[in-house]
Amino acid sequence: MDIDAWLWWLIGAAALGIALVITAMPELGMLAVGAVAAAVVSGIFGGGAVAQVAVFAVVSTALIAVVRPIASRHRAQRPQLATGVDALKGRQAVVLERVDGSGGRIKLAGEVWSARALDAGRAYEAGQEVDVVDIEGATAIVM
């Protein structure tokens, strides 16, 4: 049984796709796209072995050269949306129980939090608005 070259390229692309899923290496996905391009050259355009390998090499190399730097830049950027305790830093809270250097209670984002004053000599009375500077464990540091 003789299998056409385009089918071999598709089998190779599928194998690279499986390896991509297993290893999470995006380069394998780019090689799989190159294999699909070579299959198209073979099956639709009837290109010879040299043309197929050339298309595979050019498409794969171009994808790696273009996509990897873009992906690296996106991976290096900090997320635009702060979540968790990072989202609470910089927000305002209302003092529920006196807050000083040793502790107190505030209402922050609809929840009651333990709090401590950033400046140990400073105290904030109930009803005052304070800014959350940091979160240490389950304690908000305010000023």
Side-chain angles (χ1 to χ4, degrees), residues 6-80:
W6 65 270
L7 191 54
W8 282 113
W9 283 110
L10 289 181
I11 291 169
L16 287 166
I18 291 169
L20 165 68
V21 171
I22 292 171
T23 64
M25 290 181 58
E27 292 83 2
L28 294 175
M30 296 172 210
L31 292 173
V33 172
V36 170
V40 168
V41 166
S42 174
I44 295 177
F45 299 115
V50 173
Q52 295 169 33
V53 172
V55 166
F56 171 74
V58 167
V59 170
S60 298
T61 303
L63 283 173
I64 290 172
V66 171
V67 174
R68 278 189 82 205
I70 294 170
S72 294
R73 274 195 307 269
H74 283 286
R75 189 177 19 221
Q77 290 178 346
R78 296 197 69 202
Q80 299 292 330

